[in-house]
Structures are given as structure tokens and as C-alpha cells.
Amino acid sequence: MSTVVVVDYGMGNLRSVAKAIEHVAPQADVRVSSDAREIAAADRVVVPGQGAMPDCMRELSARGLREAVIRAAAEKPFLGICVGLQMLFGHAEEGDVMGLEILPGRVPRFPLAAMVAPDGTRLKVPHMGWNQVHQAEAHALWDGIEDDARFYFVHSYYVEPQNPDVIAGSTHYGIPFTSAIARANIFAVQFHPEKSAQAGLRLLGNFMRWNP
């Protein structure tokens, strides 16, 4: 039986993520855990996150989970969600903090001057609600999900990878931005699959079947 740990560092919609995974993988052993040993022993690891990046990074370190997450991202199927995507990169404008630096790149805020819809109206920040994700490449986690399917977003910051080869999906909100990345055993998304109806559940199910 596959064991998946949803990492609990006090920042994220943990229970709804765990419930969504239980729904798509009823045979799996799904655990919400802040124990580094459980993370190390898991077959798969999910790192969700919401809220401010400085708070997330502080709590991750305070709970002794920073190294456990870095090791998991190096060794086993790893899914990052929202801030769980952003923390994979380097400098974040929010709070002027550094992420885990697993991937080169930065995390800027949506530029207010560019937040204009095609009809000329101002776009609000945070970007909140449903939007399309254009699949930049074929990937096992996109299996059965239509290109430009809609997913649910809530964020004011986005990732800007230094290496475009890791971009797995992009979205447009005033500007085009990276909404999914993939590298080896890592897949991470800016949107919330647990809030994204059938497309989101399909992605979570694909993650549970994925053997990178």
C-alpha cells in the first residue's frame, strides 16, 4: 500500500488536500504529518501551502522540516501546491526571503502596471478564481486532462524559473506566468487541485499513480 504524507508545517489547506487524495486513491495510506521521520519513510510527499512566504519558510524551519522536504524533493514523487511550488525557488519578493533553492529562479509579485484585462479594466491582485492552464509539455500528471483546462487559483506572487525547460504549464493573468513546473520526480503547481473539481482530482490521481 502506497504511503503519501501531506506535510504539515502549519500553513496550508491540509485536510482538504488529504481528503481529495483519499478520494482518488482509496487504497493509499494518506497521512498529514509534521514528523520528519514519517516524511522520510513515505513513498510520496505533498507540500501544500497558503499564506505569506516568510511565514511558511519560518514555520518549515521552526518545525525541523526544511531538510526533510529538501530530501523528499530529491528522492521520491513530490507534489508542491501553491506556496509549495514557490518555496522550491530562490528569492521571493514577499518579505524579501529565500526559498529552498531547489530550482533556480525567483518569486516576484504580479506587476500592478500590467494588471489590465483585454477590455482595459483593471485586474485585481490577488489573482483569485478559475483560469486556464496551457500545458507546455506532455507529462504523466496531465494525463486525461484537456489542454487549457481550468483550475482554481489564489495568489499574488508567481514563480519565474531561470530554466524554461522546467515549465510544464502556463497561465495568463495580465501577463503570462508559469503555473506548473516539472523536473524528474518533482511536479508543482500554482493552482489548488483540491479545489479544482474533476481536473484537479484527475491530477491528484495521476500523481498517486506516477512512477518517475
Side-chain angles (χ1 to χ4, degrees):
M1 181 169 56
S2 179
T3 301
V4 57
V5 165
V6 179
V7 178
D8 178 7
Y9 58 104
M11 307 289 294
N13 204 10
L14 306 173
R15 297 296 169 186
S16 63
V17 172
K19 290 295 184 186
I21 295 172
E22 288 172 355
H23 177 75
V24 299
Q27 302 305 315
D29 180 5
V30 184
R31 305 179 186 183
V32 176
S33 179
S34 58
D35 186 332
R37 293 168 297 183
E38 275 200 300
I39 296 168
D43 298 310
R44 300 169 189 274
V45 169
V46 179
V47 179
Q50 58 190 39
M53 182 77 147
D55 296 338
C56 290
M57 297 309 299
R58 183 186 65 246
E59 289 300 312
L60 197 69
S61 294
R63 295 167 188 244
L65 299 177
R66 183 186 178 98
E67 291 306 316
V69 169
I70 291 173
R71 284 197 302 274
E75 297 173 356
K76 58 191 70 180
F78 179 101
L79 177 64
I81 297 172
C82 197
V83 176
L85 161 68
Q86 295 177 5
M87 67 171 54
L88 297 174
F89 290 85
H91 180 258
E93 286 186 2
E94 185 177 25
D96 190 27
V97 298
M98 294 301 293
L100 298 175
E101 298 182 88
I102 292 168
L103 297 170
R106 66 190 194 102
V107 187
R109 182 179 171 85
F110 280 114
L112 293 180
M115 294 294 98
V116 181
D119 64 2
T121 58
R122 298 294 301 178
L123 295 171
K124 294 180 179 180
V125 177
H127 171 215
M128 184 180 298
W130 296 85
N131 206 340
Q132 292 178 307
V133 174
H134 176 69
Q135 298 170 18
E137 60 176 27
H139 193 281
L141 267 71
W142 292 138
D143 180 61
I145 299 172
E146 290 187 4
D147 192 16
D148 297 321
R150 298 173 72 83
F151 292 86
Y152 190 81
F153 290 82
V154 183
H155 64 119
S156 300
Y157 298 80
Y158 62 96
V159 298
E160 198 172 77
Q162 186 174 309
N163 180 2
D165 290 346
V166 305
I167 298 172
S170 61
T171 297
H172 197 279
Y173 189 71
I175 60 170
F177 69 91
T178 297
S179 51
I181 66 96
R183 190 193 74 177
N185 59 297
I186 297 172
F187 197 90
V189 296
Q190 183 61 66
F191 52 83
H192 288 270
E194 77 281 5
K195 298 179 181 179
S196 296
Q198 289 304 311
L201 291 175
R202 178 72 188 200
L203 187 142
L204 291 173
N206 289 342
F207 173 70
M208 291 303 294
R209 293 184 289 271
W210 182 37
N211 290 301

